[in-house]
Amino acid sequence: MKCVVCGKNEAIEHGVCSQCLYERANIENIGNVNIAICPKCGSVRIGKKWYREDYADRLLPLIMDEIKCTDPVAKITGDPKSIYFDESSRNLVLKVSIERQNMDSKVETVSVPYSVNYISCPTCNKVTGSYFEATIQLRTVSMKYDDMLSGVLESIEKIMEKRRKMDAASFISKIEKKPEGIDIYLGKKGDGDLISSFILDHYFATLIVSKSLAGVKEGRKFFRFTYSLRILDAPEGAIISVDKRKYILTAVRNRHIDVIDVDTEERGRINRNVFFSNDGKIITKEPQVKNFIVISRTEDESQLMDAQTFRIITIKGRTEGNEIKLFTYKGKYFL
């Protein structure tokens, strides 16, 4: 029996051939999708939740409810990865596959009209309302603003930018630069934990966490947390004191500093707990370092010339290379 539609091919189902089944199976719109979009951040509300990114899987069922196949027997499946907004035509565009017995699979690009209600999302309402759950207080050991804090702030902003992409509730509510340091207000308490851990992992610093009652939210007490961080703002060659003893700072790590005792000339290492619990201070911030040219050396001593004053000195120990830097304090030189 020939197909009753085309009259050419062999009929396989209800007098229709597979080619005509294929051509008659199409997608058509039956309505439009209503969407709530935040005009400030672009988040989309689906149901009762807001999504900044990765919302295609949740948006797909809304689109599929507004389309149907002209062949009621066919099964249609939308590809969430293909969804995009065509703002010029106000259509949601996606690829839909059509499958049924007695015909090859078929894929159509479908455009479904959408309408938008612009509503500020809860997160943006929090941002504009200066909402915050945690405060990062960046301070230096000298308790004065130092340019190094600008570098710390830049790192924090990069971290929060990545966090915001994963969670819209992660945001910086406000930044205040003060003579003594920087205060950073964060939308989530968890970000305060993350940022403070990052600083302790990358800087020689100490941390004190405190909390204060901010009110009642949904019947429960709401606390705000303050992360007070003090960061050593002294370069190598600076003079510091710990427990009233003076040292030349020779190296700075996140968990310890290397020093030279200016009285005994002994080299040592001080961990951050000892430094901050024993009244660690900066005596002279400017590096006490001079450049010298090596004139001669033996196994026991080296003769050096000051590169600026041309004064010649002799120090214990064999130096390497033709030029060397020495730490200096009150007329004494330290290799």
Side-chain angles (χ1 to χ4, degrees):
M1 179 179 176
K2 296 294 182 179
C3 174
V4 295
V5 178
C6 67
K8 298 178 182 179
N9 303 318
E10 193 70 24
I12 60 173
E13 182 180 327
H14 301 300
V16 182
C17 68
S18 61
Q19 181 62 34
C20 287
L21 287 174
Y22 182 92
E23 293 176 356
R24 294 171 64 181
N26 298 300
I27 303 297
E28 62 181 17
N29 298 332
I30 58 175
N32 71 308
V33 178
N34 295 312
I35 302 173
I37 297 179
C38 177
K40 298 173 182 175
C41 70
S43 297
V44 176
R45 187 180 69 187
I46 301 174
K48 294 182 179 181
K49 293 186 177 181
W50 289 85
Y51 301 92
R52 183 72 182 271
E53 293 182 348
D54 300 327
Y55 50 75
D57 287 327
R58 299 174 177 87
L59 187 58
L60 180 62
L62 301 181
I63 302 174
M64 298 301 291
D65 284 344
E66 305 303 334
I67 62 175
K68 71 174 184 178
C69 184
T70 53
D71 187 336
V73 179
K75 178 182 177 182
I76 60 174
T77 306
D79 179 8
K81 294 181 180 180
S82 68
I83 297 174
Y84 71 90
F85 285 86
D86 184 349
E87 295 183 1
S88 61
S89 62
R90 280 297 178 98
N91 282 322
L92 280 164
V93 182
L94 78 160
K95 292 182 179 179
V96 178
S97 61
I98 306 171
E99 295 182 352
R100 76 179 313 281
Q101 290 183 340
N102 299 321
M103 65 167 256
D104 294 334
S105 297
K106 184 177 184 180
V107 177
E108 284 192 5
T109 299
V110 181
S111 297
V112 180
Y114 70 88
S115 58
V116 178
N117 292 321
Y118 290 103
I119 305 171
S120 292
C121 68
T123 298
C124 287
N125 286 334
K126 289 180 179 180
V127 174
T128 55
S130 297
Y131 175 90
F132 66 97
E133 294 182 3
T135 305
I136 299 290
Q137 289 185 340
L138 298 179
R139 301 293 185 266
T140 61
V141 170
S142 62
M143 292 305 292
K144 295 180 181 179
Y145 185 90
D146 187 275
D147 287 341
M148 70 170 296
L149 293 183
S150 297
V152 180
L153 175 60
E154 185 177 341
S155 297
I156 292 173
E157 289 177 324
K158 289 180 179 179
I159 292 172
M160 291 304 298
E161 184 179 348
K162 293 180 180 178
R163 296 280 293 174
R164 184 72 185 272
K165 291 180 179 179
M166 296 184 293
D167 184 355
S170 290
F171 59 87
I172 296 176
S173 177
K174 183 171 56 174
I175 298 174
E176 292 182 344
K177 293 186 178 181
K178 303 180 177 182
E180 65 272 21
I182 302 174
D183 289 350
I184 306 166
Y185 298 85
L186 304 175
K188 286 184 66 176
K189 187 263 181 185
D191 291 330
D193 297 327
L194 179 71
I195 295 300
S196 58
S197 296
F198 167 81
I199 292 173
L200 292 177
D201 287 341
H202 291 81
Y203 297 91
F204 189 82
T206 187
L207 168 67
I208 297 176
V209 182
S210 59
K211 68 177 182 179
S212 59
L213 181 63
V216 178
K217 184 170 63 175
E218 297 178 355
R220 301 179 63 183
K221 291 181 178 179
F222 171 55
F223 292 91
R224 286 196 172 112
F225 292 79
T226 300
Y227 299 79
S228 300
L229 290 137
R230 288 181 65 205
I231 304 174
L232 180 62
D233 54 322
E236 295 177 1
I239 305 300
I240 64 171
S241 71
V242 181
D243 197 19
K244 298 182 180 180
R245 295 192 65 86
K246 293 181 180 179
Y247 301 91
I248 297 174
L249 183 63
T250 61
V252 181
R253 304 291 183 266
N254 66 323
R255 296 182 182 277
H256 69 264
I257 53 175
D258 292 334
V259 296
I260 301 174
D261 190 310
V262 298
D263 294 322
T264 65
E265 301 186 23
E266 292 182 352
R267 288 181 172 268
R269 178 167 288 179
I270 301 173
N271 67 47
R272 64 186 178 194
N273 291 332
V274 171
F275 179 88
F276 288 105
S277 63
N278 286 273
D279 196 28
K281 296 179 179 178
I282 301 171
I283 304 300
T284 304
K285 203 169 184 179
E286 291 72 22
Q288 307 297 298
V289 181
K290 282 192 173 184
N291 294 323
F292 287 84
I293 298 172
V294 179
I295 298 176
S296 63
R297 63 173 68 88
T298 66
E299 291 298 324
D300 300 321
E301 62 181 28
S302 299
Q303 193 173 45
L304 312 173
M305 182 178 70
D306 190 313
Q308 290 184 327
T309 65
F310 305 110
R311 179 189 173 194
I312 296 176
I313 65 171
T314 301
I315 63 170
K316 294 180 180 180
R318 179 181 175 86
T319 60
E320 301 296 332
N322 297 323
E323 295 185 5
I324 191 172
K325 290 184 178 180
L326 294 183
F327 298 106
T328 178
Y329 182 71
K330 290 187 175 179
K332 296 172 65 176
Y333 295 98
F334 303 87
L335 179 62

